[in-house]
Amino acid sequence: MSRPPLRVGFIGLGSQGAPMARRIIAAGHETTLWARRPATLIPFADSGAKMVSSPAELAMTGDLVCLCVVDDADVEQVVTGPDGVLAGLRRGGVIAVHFTVHPETCRRLETSARTCGVSLVDAPVSGGGRAADQGSLVVMAGGDPQVFAYCRPVFTTYGEPVVHLGPTGSGQLAKILTTCCSRPTWGSPRTCSGWGPPSVSTEPR
């Protein structure tokens, strides 16, 4: 028996996040959106997605919350702030971090989530807005394999391939290595080992 589509909250509607959200909606998942800038939500007015006023309210409506916000500090604020995702997400819910942040940030957030009965996977994506439109982003995930399997039906709406690489932080480390190896002019052993600046991605979202 197939299970019903997950209810998904999505935060981070930039050049890559917006087409990811559209593909989730098109796949039939009940979707809720939040954005700091209300203008970002205007293109979704007729999409069938629900709009809410805070990350906590968004989390109350969903099984899985996907984050594509722009740096480590923003991810932490959206997850752990007074009106953040952990303030609203039910026990058993899942957070997926899609932006490229430091692996240690994801490990720290996973620990905070676990104390609330929530799981967290790091699942950075590569390919840009066009790949998101086409459903061909590369999704590199780290975290509990059972939680990854639970999220996979959503990840495959915008990703191909979608791969699980190991424990929490593995996806971020793979993305960092991939990025620095494709940019040898600025990559360094220190950066490629994950000991560079906390936010390493310069790709638009």
Side-chain angles (χ1 to χ4, degrees):
M1 179 184 297
S2 62
R3 63 188 180 195
L6 296 180
R7 300 172 300 162
V8 182
F10 201 97
I11 299 173
L13 300 172
S15 61
Q16 188 161 264
M20 290 168 68
R22 291 189 194 101
R23 291 193 65 90
I24 294 169
I25 296 165
H29 294 278
E30 181 182 323
T31 306
T32 304
L33 307 174
W34 175 80
R36 285 194 177 98
R37 295 182 294 111
T40 308
L41 298 171
I42 292 173
F44 291 88
D46 299 323
S47 68
K50 181 180 179 182
M51 320 291 179
V52 294
S53 60
S54 72
E57 186 181 354
L58 174 143
M60 289 176 189
T61 69
D63 306 305
L64 167 65
V65 176
C66 297
L67 306 179
C68 205
V69 295
V70 297
D71 59 28
D72 295 64
D74 279 353
V75 171
E76 295 209 53
Q77 177 63 30
V78 166
V79 172
T80 64
D83 210 14
V85 171
L86 288 180
L89 192 58
R90 64 173 179 82
R91 295 184 68 84
V94 181
I95 300 168
V97 179
H98 285 308
F99 193 75
T100 308
V101 297
H102 198 286
E104 194 56 42
T105 299
C106 287
R107 296 185 189 110
R108 184 168 60 251
L109 289 173
E110 194 272 337
T111 299
S112 298
R114 198 183 322 123
T115 65
C116 300
V118 169
S119 299
L120 183 142
V121 294
D122 63 298
V125 296
S126 180
R130 177 175 293 184
D133 273 325
Q134 297 171 346
S136 59
L137 289 169
V138 178
V139 182
M140 296 162 273
D144 185 284
Q146 292 185 330
V147 177
F148 167 75
Y150 176 77
C151 298
R152 187 182 177 90
V154 174
F155 294 170
T156 56
T157 64
Y158 43 78
E160 176 58 43
V162 175
V163 293
H164 181 256
L165 297 170
T168 305
S170 299
Q172 298 292 350
L173 183 56
K175 176 64 186 294
I176 291 167
L177 290 170
T178 299
T179 302
C180 77
C181 289
S182 68
R183 297 178 181 177
T185 56
W186 64 262
S188 68
R190 182 173 182 269
T191 302
C192 292
S193 68
W195 294 101
S199 183
V200 299
S201 176
T202 58
E203 296 179 9
R205 292 296 189 273

